[in-house]
Amino acid sequence: MASRLLHRLRHALAGDNPGEAATGPEAEQFPESSELEDDDAEGLSSRLSGTLSFTSAEDEEDDDEEDDGEVGPDPLPSGDGASGEDADRSLAPDGQRGSQPLARQLQDFWKKSRNTLVPQRLLFEVTSANVVKDPPSKYVLYTLAVMGPGPPDRQPARISRRYSDFERLHRNLQRQFRGPMAAISFPRKRLRRNFTAETIARRSRAFEQFLSHLQAVPELRLARDLQDFFVLPELRRAQSLTCTGLYHEALALWANAWQLQTQLGTPLGPDRPLLTLAGLAVCYQELEDPGEARACCERALQLLGDKNPHPLLAPFLEAHVRLSWRLGLDKRQSEARLQALQEAGLTPTPPPSLKELLIKEVLD
């Protein structure tokens, strides 16, 4: 059965026989609960090609480190020793290896999904899985590419999570949404062999399907816990790096967090996008790129609009005035708005800087 599914999957992704690709309402059905079980070899994603790579944090001489004999995964073999699904992960179709572009697959998928009830669909792919040894603990860190509708050459956002992060998300959503979550499966815990290539490959596909199914249910897609799962760890790390002056590293995390929020939407309001833009503006200023910093301020001011004063409004206006002056650009409108806020007693003179507010912000 697994070999037949893999054969149909390759043909569907290659476009050789579109008639066999899953379309219509049946393609949107959730799998049976057994489909995502660790011991079931048929829990395959029918929408993503496999480019999963495995790396281990330590060499194989650490085999005896775990009491139950669990070891980091070896690269998936390409011969008879690999199961059908594992071999598909280790070798991309037509001999292509590693980071095969997903653009054509995404375009085909969005064409098929154009008339579904979900207007914006995200695709998830576990692109790597690393065994991390942080004594006394040992765990697998899964890196996922998150891609949404947009230009085919746009780089995907990426997040790295471990099994316990997925399990916590599943548990929290089950408590809040018993009805919708009843149809969504999750890979169960194992007492042994958690670090084998076979287990990691099956869990990787299960995580891809798990997130795809959550995104397909509007009630779950807007849940705060799901938004926190994607964005909150990135924001915390970016804030920490910014506070310690590691602006190059922080800039990459702020940019990734912004891309995630752009793709996910902002059902929880503008606070996190504004904080992300503040982080981007601060890093660009510190790295001597005033043009990009000013563009971030302008985007934030557009988000704020003419609503009631937000704690970040005056700092963004002050930064925009200063950067506009530095670049020789028009700053009169921002100056007038800032002066009006100060005259109304809604902000101190001078207002706090974006960096000061960023350092004091508590992310929960």
Side-chain angles (χ1 to χ4, degrees), residues 27-162:
E28 296 299 318
Q29 294 293 326
F30 291 148
E32 296 296 330
S33 60
S34 62
E35 186 177 45
L36 299 184
E37 296 291 350
D38 289 340
D39 296 327
D40 190 342
E42 298 179 10
L44 302 177
S45 171
S46 62
R47 292 173 181 150
L48 298 174
S49 71
T51 58
L52 177 63
S53 62
F54 296 96
T55 57
S56 175
E58 301 290 342
D59 296 329
E60 290 187 4
E61 56 262 24
D62 295 323
D63 287 359
D64 297 332
E65 184 172 326
E66 295 293 315
D67 293 337
D68 55 6
E70 295 166 345
V71 297
D74 298 326
L76 291 177
S78 58
D80 296 336
S83 65
E85 64 181 40
D86 291 344
D88 187 53
R89 279 287 180 176
S90 61
L91 291 176
D94 300 326
Q96 296 178 353
R97 290 176 174 267
S99 57
Q100 176 183 341
L102 292 175
R104 182 166 61 84
Q105 302 164 37
L106 290 169
Q107 291 170 349
D108 292 342
F109 173 70
W110 283 317
K111 285 179 183 178
K112 296 172 184 175
S113 304
R114 186 178 301 166
N115 296 322
T116 63
L117 295 176
V118 183
Q120 297 277 325
R121 292 296 300 272
L122 297 180
L123 294 184
F124 307 95
E125 183 181 30
V126 178
T127 57
S128 66
N130 301 310
V131 177
V132 179
K133 293 183 178 180
D134 185 16
S137 64
K138 179 179 177 181
Y139 58 89
V140 179
L141 192 65
Y142 299 87
T143 298
L144 294 102
V146 183
M147 298 191 70
D153 58 345
R154 181 167 62 181
Q155 291 296 315
R158 297 187 184 276
I159 60 173
S160 295
R161 302 288 184 268
R162 49 194 291 184

Side-chain angles (χ1 to χ4, degrees), residues 144-354:
L144 294 102
V146 183
M147 298 191 70
D153 58 345
R154 181 167 62 181
Q155 291 296 315
R158 297 187 184 276
I159 60 173
S160 295
R161 302 288 184 268
R162 49 194 291 184
Y163 179 91
S164 58
D165 297 322
F166 287 96
E167 185 185 36
R168 187 181 307 109
L169 171 64
H170 180 252
R171 185 171 61 249
N172 291 341
L173 291 177
Q174 271 192 323
R175 283 201 299 261
Q176 301 173 56
F177 307 98
R178 291 186 177 274
M181 288 297 295
I184 297 178
S185 298
F186 187 79
R188 66 175 180 267
K189 280 186 175 181
R190 298 174 63 112
L191 296 179
R192 297 176 59 86
R193 300 182 61 79
N194 284 304
F195 304 114
T196 65
E198 182 181 12
T199 297
I200 295 174
R202 288 173 175 170
R203 280 186 173 177
S204 297
R205 290 186 188 87
F207 291 150
E208 292 169 357
Q209 292 180 334
F210 174 64
L211 294 177
S212 295
H213 295 162
L214 294 180
Q215 280 288 313
V217 181
E219 188 177 4
L220 300 176
R221 187 168 66 248
L222 302 178
R224 184 181 187 91
D225 284 289
L226 184 58
Q227 299 286 321
D228 288 349
F229 172 83
F230 282 111
V231 178
L232 193 55
E234 267 56 43
L235 292 179
R236 285 173 172 165
R237 286 197 293 269
Q239 183 189 43
S240 176
L241 290 172
T242 304
C243 292
T244 54
L246 298 174
Y247 299 113
H248 279 288
E249 295 83 351
L251 180 60
L253 287 173
W254 288 120
N256 189 62
W258 175 256
Q259 189 172 355
L260 282 168
Q261 292 171 87
T262 300
Q263 294 176 348
L264 293 167
T266 55
L268 303 181
D271 287 351
R272 285 183 181 174
L274 288 171
L275 183 70
T276 306
L277 288 170
L280 286 168
V282 168
C283 290
Y284 279 125
Q285 288 183 75
E286 297 292 340
L287 296 173
E288 296 298 325
D289 193 343
E292 288 294 336
R294 183 178 182 273
C296 293
C297 292
E298 286 193 331
R299 193 171 299 174
L301 292 174
Q302 290 173 0
L303 283 176
L304 288 165
D306 297 327
K307 300 177 182 178
N308 293 330
H310 189 279
L312 285 172
L313 176 57
F316 271 119
L317 287 170
E318 187 273 335
H320 188 262
V321 169
R322 180 165 37 82
L323 291 166
S324 297
W325 176 84
R326 181 176 176 181
L327 294 168
L329 299 174
D330 186 18
K331 55 184 175 62
R332 288 173 295 180
Q333 185 176 356
S334 294
E335 277 184 324
R337 290 186 66 185
L338 180 58
Q339 184 177 357
L341 289 175
Q342 292 171 336
E343 291 176 350
L346 298 175
T347 186
T349 304
S353 69
L354 288 175

